[in-house]
Amino acid sequence: AFPVFVTGAVIKPGKIMSDHPITVLEAVMEAGGPNYDNANLKTVHIDRTEKGKMLHSKVNLKDMLDGANTTPFYLQPGDIVYVPLSVF
């Protein structure tokens, strides 16, 4: 099992333990799902450390949830998923 961390506009932020490959969408759902009142699902951030460097990626979960044909983004041990707040 390996940990990933989900924070931001989700129902239950915190550490998720997974014993199998897990996507960003699955991790957000494991964290209780997004807070639909204020989550910006178009720019979900993923921070990953590789070879001592911090890498930053963004994923559009709104497209995935709307049924668009998108490629799943698989997480690695220690990844941090941040669901930002919508800016009104």
Side-chain angles (χ1 to χ4, degrees):
F2 64 90
V4 295
F5 303 89
V6 183
T7 188
V10 294
I11 303 301
K12 298 182 295 186
K15 179 168 58 172
I16 306 291
M17 296 298 292
S18 181
D19 60 358
H20 61 281
I22 187 169
T23 67
V24 174
L25 179 57
E26 291 168 332
V28 167
M29 298 313 271
E30 284 285 326
N35 182 341
Y36 288 103
D37 291 337
N38 61 5
N40 177 358
L41 296 176
K42 290 182 181 181
T43 56
V44 175
H45 302 257
I46 297 92
D47 294 329
R48 173 179 293 166
T49 302
E50 272 188 13
K51 299 179 183 176
K53 294 189 178 194
M54 184 65 81
L55 304 176
H56 307 284
S57 301
K58 291 183 182 176
V59 174
N60 186 334
L61 290 186
K62 184 174 182 339
D63 282 353
M64 288 181 188
L65 291 170
D66 288 345
N69 189 10
T70 58
T71 302
F73 188 104
Y74 282 91
L75 299 173
Q76 295 181 3
D79 280 359
I80 299 168
V81 177
Y82 172 68
V83 180
L85 295 173
S86 291
V87 178
F88 295 101

